Amino acid sequence: MPTTTHSEVHAEQKLPTLYEFFHPGGILAQSSLAFEHRPGQYAMAREIEQCFADRRHLIVEAGTGTGKTLAYLLPALRRAREHKQRIIISTGTKNLQEQLFFKDVPFLESLLGPLRVCYMKGRANYLCKQKLYALRDNPILSGLEEIDQFHQILQWERSTETGDRAEINTLPEHSALWHKIDARSEVCLGQSCPNWEPCYITGMRRKALESDIVIVNHHLFFADLSIKQQAAGAPDAGILPEAAAVIFDEAHELEDVASQYFGVALSNHRFDELARDTESMLRAKSVSTPAIESATLNIRERSRMFFSSLPTNLSPSGSAIGRMEFADRSDFLEDRGDAYIAASNSLVHLESELDRLRDVEEAAGLRKRTSDIRNHMKFLLESDDPNNVFWIERRAMMNLRNAARGTGSPQAFTTHLQATPIDVSQLLADTLFMHYPSVILTSATLTVAEADGKPGFSHLKRRLGIPFPKELIVASHFDYAKQALLYLPPTMPEPRHPDFVPQATEKIRRVLEITRGRAFCLFTSYAQMRELHDRLLAELPFPLLMQGSAPRHILLQQFRETPNAVLFGTSSFWQGVDVQGEQLSCVIVDKLPFAVPSDPIMKARTDAISAAGGNAFQDLQVPQAVLALKQGFGRLIRSLSDRGVLVLLDPRIRTTRYGATFLNSLPPYRRTDDITDIEKFFETVS
């Protein structure tokens, strides 16, 4: 584990220069790592170091295999140590965050000595000692499974230094018990808590303040940025410490994550949680307050009436998820405003009653939650902010026990009322790029081919509002022309043609017979994924795994351990998945991954571009689909020894003018429209 206590680092040794570390024969070459000098890695590290010195922003597309993690870690460490400037590194996922902290940083420590690095996750990942002890003294548990989990957590709490739930391998992902004892801020007592000093959140903040590098994930970073924006500079707002620079790895996700946290969301589940937590507080404190008990019952009833009054024509019957724009809010308020007013008044009533509990510390947090819900509800129903699209989503809720096992069917639906910024560029310019002297954006997929056919960052700069950044494209270390073959079938019909699915079935069958399974089949819709899976189930002798039949990590484990397996997946398998070696020798994509044009957020953004005189298809829809396709294809070649075939069944990449944008944006794969070339490719592999 990387060092996070630093008493032994008094006279810090000077870190090596980038040249001393990266050049042939240097420190990295002499390490235990299988070393091959990568000029692009060194060039990226130098550019980052220069941007720190110049207080400039930088965009780097670093192709897979570049070694970009070390290329940004060493400049960050050098800047932090030599100039006493803290650097935040933000990753796309918690998995990558943990890889950095538990693998990459210890490797650097083996070469450079102790480093001051820590990592932080969102508060819900950590145990709250105060809640745990309160539950121990007054247990309110449901069933033998929850009792068993509680005893496991009690035992673990005696030895854990971090309180991070990831340390408990046996705790189900959807544990209802954890929700009762995690460290979410809504019920935090702050410095008045008797367990403030030994608190895991307090300890995490203390380590962050002592660290040169703080590793977070995008969701935590933007949640924190949003809190600080709303607090308008209030002291102690947020959880992340101040820093001189931020490095975003997997930066292609920034617009989506920022949109989520700069928006407002409200669900019926949030009302139920408030009522349940209020009742739990009364039981835990042995407080008998009929007025509050009545108020929580009223909230449940009024919120149920409000959410049931919202439009329900979200999606075809039986769909797990449905979305629609809530464009007619004024009509709704005119026709069903009584349901909204009643729900709002029920919150005012609970807030007033909680205000009477002056002697109960926990009441203050519940009162603030009640106020926040009421204000969010008012914004969602009454705001006329032109930079927000207002929409409704219905999501299937899985029975928690079945969800943990990946089995069963939805038990109920939650309804989410949401507001999402249409354009986050100005928000990011004001809160991110103007606040930090240097912001580094990097990923393997940031560029899109522009009018001259060459890759560029125009789309990214436009969407994120990056002011005058430096730019760098580092080619992949892989030899794509030798390692990968891109097959574009010559006779496929258009995706909407009735013959597309039967012909796609036949093409996939033939390809998988040649590759002997060992493939990802990636789809743009659940319906098409299920149909193709069912059609091929009886035609192929290989194990077929399908998204939804088990949790994602279980499916990936099964795929890695099952010879000749084929995995059918949708969007969640297009990125963040790493399977090296022959086990993944083929990636098949059914269609160009255009976003659904009727999606409320996409529609609002395309409408805004068109209203401003732009071309929404060329300026937004094509670039987003290009980046998604690059991510999907990027699952195949993950190391210098990987080889395999990419297949795109959509003929539009060859038959349309915009198809050239896709082809010019992809790595230099060898291309073919002759399926016998796949046979020859695998003959040379074996």
Side-chain angles (χ1 to χ4, degrees), residues 23-301:
H23 85 282
I27 294 172
L28 186 57
Q30 297 173 31
S31 73
S32 59
L33 195 69
F35 176 77
E36 184 174 350
H37 179 60
R38 306 172 190 185
Q41 183 182 46
Y42 181 43
M44 176 177 172
R46 284 189 304 169
E47 198 67 58
I48 291 173
E49 187 158 272
Q50 191 62 50
C51 282
F52 286 156
D54 296 341
R55 299 169 64 89
R56 292 283 305 274
H57 304 315
L58 171 68
I59 311 173
V60 186
E61 180 174 81
T64 311
T66 299
K68 62 181 167 64
T69 303
L70 293 182
Y72 63 66
L73 268 176
L74 188 60
L77 288 164
R78 282 173 47 80
R79 185 70 184 179
R81 181 168 296 185
E82 293 179 12
H83 296 270
K84 309 301 180 188
Q85 294 181 336
R86 186 181 298 110
I87 309 290
I88 292 174
I89 296 175
S90 181
T91 68
T93 63
K94 286 189 286 189
N95 287 340
L96 180 55
Q97 182 184 4
E98 291 176 352
Q99 178 183 313
L100 276 173
F101 186 72
F102 292 108
K103 181 181 175 183
D104 298 314
V105 172
F107 170 72
L108 280 176
E109 286 195 314
S110 72
L111 304 177
L112 308 176
L115 302 171
R116 293 195 296 233
V117 180
C118 76
Y119 82 114
M120 303 175 75
K121 298 180 184 177
R123 296 181 62 118
N125 291 279
Y126 296 94
L127 176 69
C128 172
K129 286 177 176 282
Q130 180 69 9
K131 288 183 184 177
L132 180 69
Y133 299 158
L135 198 58
R136 178 194 61 193
D137 298 337
N138 187 11
I140 307 168
L141 302 170
S142 305
L144 294 175
E145 194 171 28
E146 198 163 290
I147 292 171
D148 179 60
Q149 290 175 22
F150 180 70
H151 287 299
Q152 287 183 49
I153 292 170
L154 269 179
Q155 185 71 26
W156 164 71
E157 186 267 340
R158 297 189 185 105
S159 60
T160 179
E161 295 182 3
T162 68
D164 184 351
R165 67 164 290 171
E167 295 177 358
I168 315 176
N169 296 328
T170 56
L171 189 66
E173 183 180 351
H174 299 273
S175 168
L177 172 64
W178 183 260
H179 183 78
K180 299 176 183 178
I181 56 176
D182 68 27
R184 284 170 300 131
S185 60
E186 291 92 334
V187 288
C188 179
L189 300 178
Q191 296 188 28
S192 64
C193 176
N195 286 288
W196 169 257
E197 276 302 318
C199 171
Y200 298 116
I201 300 298
T202 303
M204 182 175 66
R205 281 175 161 163
R206 190 178 296 123
K207 286 180 182 178
L209 290 170
E210 296 169 352
S211 296
D212 292 330
I213 305 291
V214 180
I215 302 172
V216 303
N217 58 69
H218 297 346
H219 288 271
L220 173 57
F221 183 89
F222 282 103
D224 186 79
L225 195 64
S226 174
I227 290 169
K228 289 172 178 173
Q229 180 200 30
Q230 294 168 25
D236 299 326
I239 192 171
L240 299 185
E242 282 299 308
V246 186
I247 299 171
F248 290 103
D249 198 345
E250 303 297 313
H252 60 276
E253 299 180 11
L254 288 195
E255 183 179 13
D256 287 343
V257 179
S259 298
Q260 178 181 341
Y261 287 99
F262 285 129
V264 174
L266 189 64
S267 69
N268 55 325
H269 185 58
R270 197 168 158 197
F271 280 84
D272 292 340
E273 277 188 331
L274 174 64
R276 185 188 66 226
D277 290 349
T278 302
E279 291 165 349
S280 296
M281 179 271 292
L282 295 178
R283 288 195 298 269
K285 294 296 180 180
S286 301
V287 176
S288 177
T289 310
I292 293 183
E293 293 168 3
S294 173
T296 57
L297 286 173
N298 194 37
I299 275 184
R300 282 196 171 96
E301 292 173 3

Side-chain angles (χ1 to χ4, degrees), residues 568-594:
F568 288 70
T570 60
S571 56
S572 66
F573 287 92
W574 284 65
Q575 60 181 337
V577 176
D578 191 354
V579 180
Q580 294 188 15
E582 292 185 354
Q583 187 63 18
L584 180 59
S585 294
C586 180
V587 170
I588 301 173
V589 172
D590 68 334
K591 301 175 186 175
L592 295 173
F594 286 106

Side-chain angles (χ1 to χ4, degrees), residues 474-490:
V474 179
S476 172
H477 193 53
F478 301 147
D479 187 346
Y480 285 112
K482 291 183 178 179
Q483 291 182 253
L485 176 68
L486 173 58
Y487 172 55
L488 305 175

Side-chain angles (χ1 to χ4, degrees), residues 391-468:
W391 52 289
I392 302 171
E393 180 178 69
R394 186 179 69 166
R395 301 176 192 166
M397 288 183 65
M398 187 81 76
N399 173 280
L400 289 176
R401 181 178 300 176
N402 289 341
R405 297 171 179 168
T407 61
S409 56
Q411 305 296 308
F413 288 92
T414 57
T415 301
H416 296 251
L417 190 56
Q418 311 220 38
T420 301
I422 296 171
D423 186 343
V424 296
S425 61
Q426 192 59 52
L427 286 166
L428 289 175
D430 294 341
T431 61
L432 177 63
F433 298 114
M434 290 183 66
H435 182 75
Y436 293 97
S438 291
V439 177
I440 312 297
L441 308 181
T442 186
S443 171
T445 52
L446 294 178
T447 62
V448 176
E450 301 186 354
D452 59 2
K454 296 178 180 179
F457 296 104
S458 296
H459 170 70
L460 185 78
K461 292 189 291 185
R462 186 168 56 245
R463 299 306 304 172
L464 299 186
I466 311 171
F468 310 110

